[in-house]
Amino acid sequence: MKNKQTYFHDILLRDHHIDVSCFDESFLHKSLQLRMEEIKCASIEEYNDLLKIRETERNKLLRSLQVGYRAFFRNTLTFAVMERLILPDIISAKKGSKEIRIWSAACAAGQEAYSLAMLLEEYINCKKNDICYRIFATDWDERNIRLAQKGGYHPDHLANISLKYLEKWFVQKGGHYAVKPELKKHIEFSVFDLLGRHSSPPESIFGEFDLVFCANLLFYYKAEYRKKIMNKLAEAMADNAYLIVGETEREILKAGNFKEVFPQSGVFKKQNNLPQGAQRNAQKTQ
């Protein structure tokens, strides 16, 4: 016999065309409980009755499942490794012959993509290197993409940005800060479902990404869907490309076809593309 939560899954799909089967059960249960507590529903049955008549609540439930929290330079260790080791390595390998291709695979309101662009612009200016790069930033929530394209942020969301970067790349407009057009010119924002049929954003044409960011997303999904996402990311990556995940997702990647190359930072490479020297260094740190 189905439990109440499984029954509710069926109701959501049948009556409201909302498929929640991909989500981790604990995350889904917590999301439902928070919604029910906020509107003071005593049972799943009562909540379902409310969903039938209140479109606003259906939308709020969907929003609660569309994980979209991001911050500029969210993980300080990861971005320090990015600035000092990863980007110089990628740029050195390119030798100015090809563009650097980056995918921010769950970009939310664009903070991650803009953080990467700031690091690249700083490196280009510092080294006086004529580097061509493109950042493809995607999210499955169209509202997030619109916010990212607009590039306007409340001061509370800019805590991790240095004063130098804030003055250089943002302009204050009323109570918000707006990203300057110069920082936007190498970024393409688009809606993309990581569980859909495409292996990479159609705008990128062929993938071949040198760096993929997919941080703090995998643990919201069931194991089989995590694997599907990881396979999709691996397919879109160029040889010897880097994959960045959240610190709490490191164990998920270790169980797959990836090898952590910088301890505790969530920085990985596809194991079959890892150079022998890097493999030995990584193994020493395990």
Side-chain angles (χ1 to χ4, degrees):
M1 184 174 179
K2 293 183 175 181
N3 61 38
K4 288 185 177 181
Q5 186 164 311
T6 303
Y7 172 74
F8 188 60
H9 294 185
D10 297 339
I11 294 294
L12 283 174
L13 184 60
R14 187 191 70 202
D15 295 348
H16 311 300
H17 308 291
I18 300 172
D19 186 0
V20 296
S21 61
C22 61
F23 292 111
D24 177 77
E25 290 296 334
S26 60
F27 164 64
L28 183 60
H29 177 73
K30 183 178 180 180
S31 298
L32 288 172
Q33 288 299 120
L34 287 173
R35 290 303 316 146
M36 290 168 61
E37 288 172 10
E38 183 166 335
I39 60 177
K40 296 179 172 57
C41 270
S43 68
I44 286 181
E45 291 84 358
E46 181 183 341
Y47 186 62
N48 178 61
D49 290 338
L50 181 67
L51 284 180
K52 290 179 180 178
I53 61 174
R54 192 178 295 178
E55 183 180 1
T56 54
E57 181 54 33
R58 293 199 296 271
N59 291 335
K60 286 179 180 180
L61 174 61
L62 274 177
R63 293 294 177 199
S64 73
L65 299 175
Q66 293 174 342
V67 185
Y69 173 76
R70 290 290 184 275
F72 289 94
F73 302 100
R74 179 175 180 179
N75 185 315
T76 54
L77 174 59
T78 296
F79 276 96
V81 172
M82 284 283 304
E83 182 177 15
R84 299 172 188 175
L85 299 170
I86 297 176
L87 290 180
D89 182 54
I90 292 173
I91 292 168
S92 175
K94 289 290 182 178
K95 296 179 181 178
S97 59
K98 296 180 180 178
E99 71 174 6
I100 296 169
R101 297 170 61 83
I102 298 173
W103 183 13
S104 174
C107 72
Q111 297 94 326
E112 187 174 85
Y114 289 126
S115 298
L116 290 166
M118 281 186 264
L119 286 186
L120 279 161
E121 290 292 336
E122 184 70 12
Y123 189 92
I124 291 170
N125 293 332
C126 180
K127 300 296 183 179
K128 301 188 183 303
N129 200 331
D130 187 16
I131 301 166
C132 180
Y133 72 91
R134 295 175 73 191
I135 300 173
F136 299 87
T138 65
D139 197 274
W140 75 325
D141 186 345
E142 186 175 351
R143 187 182 67 165
N144 274 342
I145 292 301
R146 289 198 298 269
L147 290 172
Q149 291 170 331
K150 185 177 180 181
Y153 302 95
H154 190 274
D156 292 346
H157 301 159
L158 307 176
N160 292 340
I161 299 181
S162 67
L163 181 60
K164 173 186 175 182
Y165 281 175
L166 189 62
E167 293 177 343
K168 186 173 184 178
W169 297 114
F170 293 81
V171 57
Q172 190 169 7
K173 293 183 176 181
H176 288 71
Y177 284 83
V179 176
K180 291 182 179 179
E182 306 93 273
L183 195 64
K184 294 182 176 183
K185 63 183 180 180
H186 295 291
I187 307 175
E188 292 189 34
F189 291 104
S190 63
V191 177
F192 184 79
D193 184 358
L194 283 167
L195 294 174
R197 63 186 181 89
H198 293 290
S199 61
S200 61
E203 290 79 7
S204 72
I205 303 177
F206 52 83
E208 285 293 304
F209 297 108
D210 303 292
L211 172 64
V212 175
F213 254 80
C214 188
N216 306 300
L217 176 80
L218 292 171
F219 51 48
Y220 291 109
Y221 291 95
K222 292 178 180 176
E224 60 267 35
Y225 293 95
R226 293 174 184 172
K227 185 175 181 180
K228 183 176 181 179
I229 292 172
M230 288 191 292
N231 288 341
K232 179 169 290 191
L233 298 178
E235 184 180 348
M237 293 166 67
D239 289 345
N240 298 315
Y242 291 92
L243 173 63
I244 314 296
V245 298
E247 286 184 332
T248 56
E249 298 169 313
R250 292 170 51 242
E251 294 303 317
I252 297 174
L253 267 290
K254 286 180 180 179
N257 193 34
F258 294 89
K259 189 77 174 181
E260 189 173 32
V261 292
F262 298 109
Q264 309 302 319
S265 66
V267 179
F268 288 78
K269 280 189 175 183
K270 286 188 291 186
Q271 193 164 348
N272 59 345
N273 287 333
L274 195 63
Q276 290 184 353
Q279 276 188 4
R280 288 193 295 270
N281 292 336
Q283 288 167 357
K284 290 178 182 178
T285 62
Q286 299 300 311

